[in-house]
Amino acid sequence: GQQLNQSPQSMFIQEGEDVSMNCTSSSIFNTWLWYKQDPGEGPVLLIALYKAGELTSNGRLTAQFGITRKDSFLNISASIPSDVGIYFCAGQSRETSGSRLTFGEGTQLTVNP
Amino acid sequence: EPEVTQTPSHQVTQMGQEVILRCVPISNHLYFYWYRQILGQKVEFLVSFYNNEISEKSEIFDDQFSVERPDGSNFTLKIRSTKLEDSAMYFCASATGPDNEQFFGPGTRLTVL
């Protein structure tokens, strides 16, 4: 099946710092999504990307859909304590795997005040 | 803002028992999904459902699993005879279309003893 490699696995940063995480795959995806998950809760959608090369922002978050369609990154600027959580990338490839989402392993973000 | 809801939030059951996990998708959504997340691991696709039938399923979704949309609002996942390894968080998700963002519920934590 399709695999997404997400890095880094964890990050420990100071409040106010910028953060970057990324996902790569050997397969092409048509859609990239970034979710945040707090402990004991469901993934919450942050940003959705639909076109290769697309750069989209949502407040302090910026994500890009790689031009090869095999990667995506998420940046968080000026981090705050409530940014703490696990961030997952997810890809969708309608041609090869229908509408299912394939998730990365997650990036655990810790923000020290 | 409309959201996906799930009940119960936590289900404890004995091995071999049947469980039914319930979801109410967002009301104008037509595509429904179940995912699971074993503790500390990534989210994994189980099944997608559209137009009252299964669209696709993963290798995890074996004969012990079934899904149903018994009325116009509920979407259920049944595990016929639970095993210890079925212990996980189960997330329902819904979308307006097969290529659109999937919104997740808060999850049901299933514990099989």
Side-chain angles (χ1 to χ4, degrees):
Chain A
Q2 294 175 314
Q3 297 263 0
L4 289 184
N5 300 306
Q6 185 171 350
S7 63
Q9 276 189 319
S10 60
M11 301 186 76
F12 297 83
I13 62 170
Q14 292 298 124
E15 183 177 359
E17 289 183 358
D18 297 343
V19 167
S20 185
M21 58 193 80
N22 70 85
C23 274
T24 60
S25 172
S26 57
S27 309
I28 287 173
F29 286 98
N30 303 115
T31 302
W32 284 92
L33 303 164
W34 284 92
Y35 290 87
K36 178 174 183 263
Q37 185 179 32
D38 291 328
E41 298 188 13
V44 174
L45 182 65
L46 299 174
I47 290 182
L49 302 158
Y50 295 102
K51 285 167 43 175
E54 179 181 356
L55 183 72
T56 296
S57 292
N58 178 9
R60 292 180 296 105
L61 307 178
T62 302
Q64 182 155 33
F65 191 145
I67 198 75
T68 64
R69 297 201 287 158
K70 293 183 179 180
D71 62 301
S72 176
F73 71 74
L74 174 71
N75 287 342
I76 305 173
S77 62
S79 58
I80 58 178
S82 61
D83 290 334
V84 165
I86 303 177
Y87 291 79
F88 288 99
C89 62
Q92 186 184 63
S93 176
R94 291 276 285 141
E95 290 85 3
T96 55
S97 57
S99 61
R100 71 171 70 183
L101 294 179
T102 300
F103 279 79
E105 302 282 347
T107 295
Q108 171 77 63
L109 178 64
T110 301
V111 180
N112 296 315
Chain B
E1 188 171 319
E3 57 185 23
V4 177
T5 59
Q6 290 185 243
T7 54
S9 56
H10 192 184
Q11 173 92 49
V12 181
T13 189
Q14 294 289 328
M15 191 170 57
Q17 295 296 304
E18 174 183 287
V19 295
I20 297 176
L21 310 182
R22 291 183 165 79
C23 167
V24 179
I26 294 173
S27 63
N28 64 334
H29 287 189
L30 301 175
Y31 290 78
F32 313 118
Y33 306 84
W34 283 101
Y35 292 81
R36 80 169 186 193
Q37 184 180 33
I38 294 170
L39 185 64
Q41 299 186 21
K42 66 180 179 182
V43 178
E44 300 174 288
F45 169 79
L46 291 177
V47 65
S48 62
F49 191 86
Y50 169 70
N51 201 26
N52 277 319
E53 58 183 32
I54 290 174
S55 306
E56 52 184 319
K57 56 186 181 180
S58 72
E59 58 280 0
I60 303 169
F61 194 89
D62 61 22
D63 292 344
Q64 293 299 312
F65 290 89
S66 62
V67 290
E68 194 177 31
R69 187 151 163 85
D71 53 45
S73 59
N74 290 283
F75 178 51
T76 62
L77 174 69
K78 182 194 291 187
I79 308 175
R80 223 177 316 277
S81 177
T82 49
K83 303 187 282 282
L84 294 176
E85 54 265 37
D86 293 328
S87 294
M89 284 288 285
Y90 287 81
F91 295 108
C92 173
S94 69
T96 53
D99 300 322
N100 296 104
E101 301 98 327
Q102 294 179 24
F103 293 89
F104 283 73
T108 293
R109 178 174 299 283
L110 177 65
T111 303
V112 183
L113 303 175

